[in-house]
Amino acid sequence: MNRGSEPAANGGRGLGSAVDAAFTSLLEESAEDLYENAPCGYLSTLMDGTIAKVNGTLLGWLGRERDEVVGRMSFSDLLTVGGKLYHETHFAPLLHMRGEVNGIALEIRAADGTRMPVLVTSVVKNGDGGEPLLIRTTLTDARDRRSYEAELLRARRAAEEARRQAEADRVRLQSALAVLQQSLLPDTLPDVPGLVTATHYHTASPDRLGGDFYDLFPLGEDRWAFFLGDVSGKGPEAASLTSLARYTLRTAAAYTADPAAVLATLNTALHDRYTSGEPRYCTAVFGVLQPDGDGFDVRVASGGHPPAVITRADGGAEFLDTPGGMLVGILPDAPFVGAHNRLEPGDSLLLYTDGLTEARVGADRGLFGEEALRAFAAEHAGGGPDGIVAALVELLSGFGDGLNDDTALLCLGVPATPDAAAEGKRT
Amino acid sequence: MNSLSVAVEDAPTGPVVQVMGDLDYDSADVFRAAVGGLAVPPGALLVIDLAGLTFCDSSGITAFLAAWNHARASGGDAALAAVPPSTARILHIVGVDRILQVYPDATVAAQAASRGA
């Protein structure tokens, strides 16, 4: 093998010698020693379970001498109470039926009462005539495995608990958000005699609190106020601004029926509240409806909001222009521009937020735009508020991910016939 | 979608911020971070050059107003230049074209600023 004169081989000689020695000792290892000191417990029993032969490893685990076990104890005597029960009801019957049982987890009980988890495999040895002679059993130490499994189980329980807690938190938060969101929008709108109303609210994401708002409420005996708007930003800060805007508008309307003056009050409130840092503002249309003959007189003012659309009984549609209205809350003395119009039977007034007109549509991802909305509303003018809003809801759902902002719709219409007015009041 | 990029140049009249790509809810923070770190000395004009703007929604409008607030906080002012027609239309609806000066391009904006100064 190695030559001493070759320095390069010198290092190899020592290693070679160690390997040689290991091989020699392996070859010299007796079957008896392998049996006695194997890294698992060996056990041979008669068919009735009486222990006939046991190795040193198992005796060591049990803390017992050979002569107190062999011929005196049966396999089930080595087991815990639960183990005995399982042995009698499952293990032994299965073994007799199949001739072998593999890897069953049991616990053995040592002389001092300590327990030790083991995996048990048993095989029946048959005689030449096929008659069962004895049972050979190996027991593998499962303590490390057991603690590993226990750790896995503990970790899984902890993970499940954390997941359950997170889910509970999510549900709680979601319902809190839903309640808050509801406080920003009216549950139902009041019945206005001779007027049909339809609304829709789309939140771009269920976790984003809305930044759009609308309302319709009585102003004294025979007038009605309505508004629709959109606050800057998204999420909780937008929601708090929405709340401030909504209640300021309702309060201001109690003092004046001039739409531009109501928006001016809101402007002052927002500007005072948010003077520095992040710009906080809203766009809004505020209006007052007064019954007039068989229709309604409508006065609106706009602050930075895209123009409302009026659809006519004859199938046309036009913008209710309010050019020059400023965003609400940016400048201390912002100008707001009013407009005046009339809704005849069959006419509808559509208010919307820019989530609709700023939706990105088509292959070029261009804005949907006000003009496309006007044309769309004209097509559905005959359906009245319910028909127009239903058609827009369908349109919005077709926008898919092109619709990435909240969208609010409020449509107020005078029914074409008095019958339809009665119909409208019930909805 | 065109991702947003922002480049800043220093003109004698103040910083010129070139905005390229889509300015929306997801990208507005990029613009605001860039503008928020700019020094706009008293009397200087922060010009927001929109020649490369491909899309702008209401988050972008808010970002322009934040830039205007930022410039005014230090005694300066802000203006928009080369506003694409679709954005000009939105600026007009919300009235922001009466808050921020709008110029045909950044050079004209700078000239106007130097004349004013």
Side-chain angles (χ1 to χ4, degrees), chain A residues 83-98:
Chain A
K84 278 189 178 70
L85 203 63
Y86 189 82
H87 181 263
E88 293 305 319
T89 56
H90 292 81
F91 193 96
L94 205 59
L95 182 60
H96 283 109
M97 198 167 65
R98 295 207 307 217

Side-chain angles (χ1 to χ4, degrees), chain A residues 273-291:
Chain A
R273 171 75 179 75
Y274 303 103
T275 46
S276 62
E278 170 77 16
R280 297 248 166 242
Y281 59 85
C282 74
T283 70
V285 173
F286 181 92
V288 175
L289 287 163
Q290 184 153 20

Side-chain angles (χ1 to χ4, degrees), chain A residues 43-123:
Chain A
L43 188 67
S44 303
T45 65
L46 305 181
M47 291 312 293
D48 68 357
T50 307
I51 294 170
K53 201 174 178 205
V54 59
N55 76 343
T57 304
L58 181 52
L59 286 172
W61 290 346
L62 292 168
R64 293 184 187 277
E65 296 302 320
R66 192 176 303 272
D67 55 8
E68 57 175 318
V69 173
V70 173
R72 291 170 182 267
M73 297 177 83
S74 70
F75 175 50
S76 67
D77 292 334
L78 307 182
L79 303 174
T80 57
V81 176
K84 278 189 178 70
L85 203 63
Y86 189 82
H87 181 263
E88 293 305 319
T89 56
H90 292 81
F91 193 96
L94 205 59
L95 182 60
H96 283 109
M97 198 167 65
R98 295 207 307 217
E100 65 174 77
V101 173
N102 287 311
I104 300 295
L106 291 170
E107 276 188 330
I108 56 173
R109 205 162 60 106
D112 63 3
T114 57
R115 295 151 165 250
M116 175 176 157
V118 290
L119 292 177
V120 180
T121 293
S122 290
V123 177

